[in-house]
């Protein structure tokens, strides 16, 4: 919305890249996720969006977005202060940690999915309401609860 487009509750805007858009068809992903139009297939990051909608170079789009969001930029060739270096180090460390957590979550989800699939197979093979079927049913309830917890990020 800072770029002058009205974003609806679902995160869509009318696409500026193709003709009339009776219904918003371009999804704008928050957190630096970029954009994608489900009608014309145009997609990219915020810098590409600014470049193409405003006719700017990449450098101009970076400066424009930095100004828009109040992010100070150092001029090329200007040495970084100790505080700036520390901020960069912290951001890099946070990004690496977020990537590690994302990879760990993905691995846990994959392992959990395999366990759920195996348990489903056992439930189909075992006689209903037998001792082992009941144990597998309980295991499935636990696995589903773990899936919900992991998938919903709690």
């Amino acid at each position: 919305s800072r770029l002058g487009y009205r974003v609806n509750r679902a995160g869509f805007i009318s696409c500026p890249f193709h003709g009339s858009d009776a219904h918003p068809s371009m999804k704008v992903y928050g957190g630096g996720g970029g954009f994608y139009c489900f009608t014309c297939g145009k997609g990219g990051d915020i810098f590409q969006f600014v470049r193409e909608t405003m006719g700017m170079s990449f450098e101009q789009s970076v400066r424009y977005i930095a100004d828009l969001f109040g992010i100070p930029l150092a001029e090329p060739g200007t040495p970084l202060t100790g505080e700036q270096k520390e901020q960069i180090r912290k951001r890099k460390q946070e990004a690496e940690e977020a990537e590690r957590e994302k990879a760990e979550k993905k691995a846990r989800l994959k392992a959990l999915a395999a366990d759920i699939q195996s348990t489903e197979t056992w439930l189909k093979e075992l006689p209903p309401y037998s001792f082992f079927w009941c144990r597998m049913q309980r295991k499935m309830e636990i696995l589903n609860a773990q899936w919900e917890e992991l998938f919903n990020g709690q």
Side-chain angles (χ1 to χ4, degrees):
S1 64
R2 290 189 189 199
L3 296 173
Y5 294 89
R6 204 172 116 237
V7 181
N8 70 16
R9 285 185 286 168
F12 283 85
I13 65 171
S14 294
C15 179
F17 299 112
H18 65 268
S20 64
D21 207 3
H23 301 287
S25 60
M26 179 175 282
K27 176 73 173 169
V28 178
Y29 299 97
F35 67 95
Y36 181 78
C37 178
F38 290 92
T39 300
C40 68
K42 191 76 160 170
D45 60 21
I46 189 171
F47 303 107
Q48 183 176 352
F49 185 85
V50 169
R51 282 194 323 265
E52 294 187 20
T53 58
M54 299 182 173
M56 296 181 177
S57 69
F58 179 74
E59 184 179 338
Q60 289 170 325
S61 70
V62 169
R63 291 185 184 285
Y64 177 81
I65 292 166
D67 287 343
L68 193 63
F69 288 90
I71 301 169
L73 294 177
E75 290 300 317
T78 305
L80 297 174
T81 66
E83 184 179 327
Q84 290 171 324
K85 288 178 184 177
E86 181 61 21
Q87 285 178 343
I88 291 169
R89 187 192 66 73
K90 282 183 181 178
R91 286 185 185 151
K92 184 177 178 182
Q93 189 176 12
E94 288 168 359
E96 289 170 351
E97 180 63 27
E99 279 300 313
R100 253 191 317 278
E101 288 174 4
K102 185 177 175 182
E104 288 171 5
K105 182 176 180 178
K106 186 176 179 180
R108 288 194 311 265
L109 284 170
K110 188 175 179 179
L112 194 54
D115 204 5
I116 289 171
Q117 188 174 19
S118 170
T119 303
E120 285 176 340
T121 301
W122 275 107
L123 281 169
K124 289 176 187 173
E125 298 293 323
L126 292 168
Y129 302 106
S130 67
F131 175 76
F132 289 112
W133 184 90
C134 290
R135 293 200 58 167
M136 286 293 128
Q137 189 66 35
R138 178 64 185 133
K139 181 179 180 182
M140 182 61 85
E141 291 170 7
I142 293 168
L143 292 172
N144 283 328
Q146 290 173 349
W147 178 269
E148 285 296 318
E149 184 179 319
L150 261 178
F151 191 74
N152 293 325
Q154 297 174 349

